[in-house]
Amino acid sequence: MTEKKENNFLIDTGNLSPKALARKHQLENDPSCRRDPMEYLPGMEIIKSDIREKVMREVDAYDYESYTAADVRRALNHEHRTIEDFKALLSPAAAPFLEEMSRIASEITSRHFGNTVYLFTPLYIANYCENYCVYCGFNCYNSIHRLKLEHEQIEHEMKVIADSGMEEILILTGESRAKSDVKYIGEACKLASKYFRNVGLEIYPVNTDEYRYLHECGADYVTVFQETYDLKKYETLHLLGHKRVWPYRFDAQERALRGGMRGAGFSALLGLSDYHKDALATGLHVYYLQRKYPQAELSLSCPRLRPIINNDKINPLDVSERVLCQILCAYRLFLPFAGITVSSRESARFRNGIAKIAATKISAGVSTGIGDHESKYEGKDDENAGDEQFEIQDQRSLHQMYDDMKGEGLQPVLNDYLYV
Amino acid sequence: MTTANDPLILGGHEFHSRFILGSGKYSMQLIEAAVKDAGAEIITLAVRRTNTQKKDNILDYIPKHVTLLPNTSGARNADEAVRIARLARELGCGDFVKIEIMRDTKYLLPDNTETIKATEILANEGFTVLPYMFPDLNAARDLVSAGAAAVMPLAAPIGSNKGLAAKEFIRILIDEIDLPVIVDAGIGRPSQACEAMEMGAAAIMANTALATAGDVTRMARAFRSAIEAGREAYLAGLGRVLTRGASASDPLTGFLREAK
């Protein structure tokens, strides 16, 4: 079933110097000039943990073609689903059971979360990046308008967003310690605590003590996308920068929890590699961490590849909406307690539907650009805004989303959290 | 109606309804049904959801005659529960507080040890403390000593609608604890609520059973009837049915018939 098509990520853009261009091509074409992705960089904390080994042992042994309709039926009938059940539900054999899976998922979601759907918005405060991740609009070789918001600008953005009624914010940066260091992000968290009730972070992975500092600044949730759990593939997509260090990224959520964060978010970027294995790995990452840190609030996202500036051809390949729905149902059936976030990468139609099946949180009033909320919310021009990380599909404002979710029979919730 | 001369007394306050709406799966329709159709006079509310959102603020939907029972959900230890309870008081939610302390996000099972600690601190500060607990007699006795106004054992895992899975242990609490025993979490059907009330539970807390019903309003009415029926049966002196063994046709004490 898997299509052989691949995305063409390698695009030369803008005014790179001949030296930079030569380096870029060398990284792309000569694997021997790239660092070992298992080798930590100086300053990166190494924690003792068996989670990675446990997850990858299952993923490596996963032969999804071997599951049958009988395995799927058994999984559907179980009240508490095992890892084997989860594997069956992610397998091609489960595809014909999508409606049944959706019905069960919907019932579980309703039992655990009621008819509520949480709304939040992301705020990108800087798009500088030191990584070369070939599929990302912020990658250091992509010619885009870079921007880092100063303190007053961040506050202005937050005011605009808070005035729209939003109470939960997710602060994001490009991955540049040089341009947006931990202290800068901490200051943004302190500001966010003034304007919002719930502050989350989606930034480059940091050490435990740095997570602790960011927690003290007001953040309580950390999301880190592993992008792909397929190390061989990962190595060919993340060619340069600290993000290339795969195990340091893998352990980020665990460091965040040890640093005092209340919750952590997980995801693979679907479309980068074999989605069966990546979805299995993501679910198991949550499963094993929950067993080790039972007090943690864990959640899953499910981003699919989207077009970026200078490469509008990027797409999620074989991860169709039906496949995405199957993956989300499998997550829900295996991890009834986990939050599931569906971002504006997906269409309004898909998000309206999935909110009634498996999703517990959706974004609204989204911009993935830098410093452009006022222009986007109020229709003002702002030529100085920093460029976007990827194109979004669902552009609904908070108010429209709120009303639409009510129209779907759901209760939109802006906050269910208290910083203690 | 028997409710007029059979009030539920919690912390010196009288209530005439023995249905309490739990928090968690709120919709405005649910609150309305709980108050109007189930007759709820107490509604629990997570402190973390009070004083929030201008639009559809839950507080705007709760009628004035209903007592708000703020809960400490989100607390992972006694210290956090105490801080949340104090915040509730500052927010004007009164002196009632339901302690909920969970160190497990999967099953949401209450942590009795931390709950006892928080109960003691808050009772000393003048709160009317209603602790959510795992039905353990030793813990319940400690909660009594700590100053709780009632104990609230779970019947089954929260949200499971599995009914009185912990029936025998709740029965022990009802027998041994002199405070009201309010059955919290897991009640999925009116018949289960009725059974708990027949056993002598003081009140029933439910949420998911109503929230996930096909017709919320109708289910709210069904719970009201079931709880009232169970209470009536309890007051009427329903005998326990002992199932162990059979009644012997030839009594062992037969020889005593002719005793002098």
Side-chain angles (χ1 to χ4, degrees), chain A residues 16-31:
Chain A
L16 290 179
S17 69
K19 196 178 159 195
L21 199 61
R23 173 70 174 144
K24 176 176 182 287
H25 290 162
Q26 190 192 21
L27 286 165
E28 289 165 356
N29 300 316
D30 177 8

Side-chain angles (χ1 to χ4, degrees), chain A residues 42-66:
Chain A
M44 285 182 173
E45 179 188 2
I46 302 174
I47 59 168
K48 202 165 170 255
S49 173
D50 57 355
I51 303 284
R52 183 159 29 99
E53 189 198 328
K54 284 178 170 169
V55 171
M56 295 317 296
R57 193 188 305 136
E58 296 287 349
V59 173
D60 291 342
Y62 182 34
D63 175 11
Y64 46 82
E65 298 289 356
S66 69

Side-chain angles (χ1 to χ4, degrees), chain A residues 102 105-106 109 113 325 328-332 338-342 353-361:
Chain A
S102 298
S106 174
T109 305
F113 300 91
C325 184
L328 291 174
C329 287
Y331 285 164
R332 176 53 70 228
I340 292 181
T341 304
V342 180
I354 206 71
K356 288 183 285 192
I357 297 174
T360 54
K361 189 186 271 195

Side-chain angles (χ1 to χ4, degrees), chain B residues 26 31 35 43-45 58-64 66-68:
Chain B
Y26 271 127
I31 293 173
V35 174
I43 291 185
T44 60
L45 175 60
I58 290 169
L59 293 176
D60 297 338
Y61 286 78
I62 299 178
K64 293 281 171 277
V66 169
T67 298
L68 207 57

Side-chain angles (χ1 to χ4, degrees), chain B residues 144-211:
Chain B
V144 174
S145 308
V151 292
M152 304 183 71
L154 58 82
I158 191 163
S160 69
N161 282 357
K162 289 207 169 177
L164 288 166
K167 184 174 165 183
E168 293 308 318
F169 303 100
I170 289 175
R171 192 195 297 281
I172 291 170
L173 297 193
I174 290 171
D175 285 349
E176 303 301 327
I177 298 295
D178 291 332
L179 294 175
V181 175
I182 300 172
V183 174
D184 185 0
I187 295 290
R189 298 162 180 267
S191 55
Q192 296 157 353
C194 185
E195 187 180 4
M197 294 303 293
E198 282 177 2
M199 282 164 54
I204 299 293
M205 178 172 290
N207 177 278
T208 308
L210 267 70

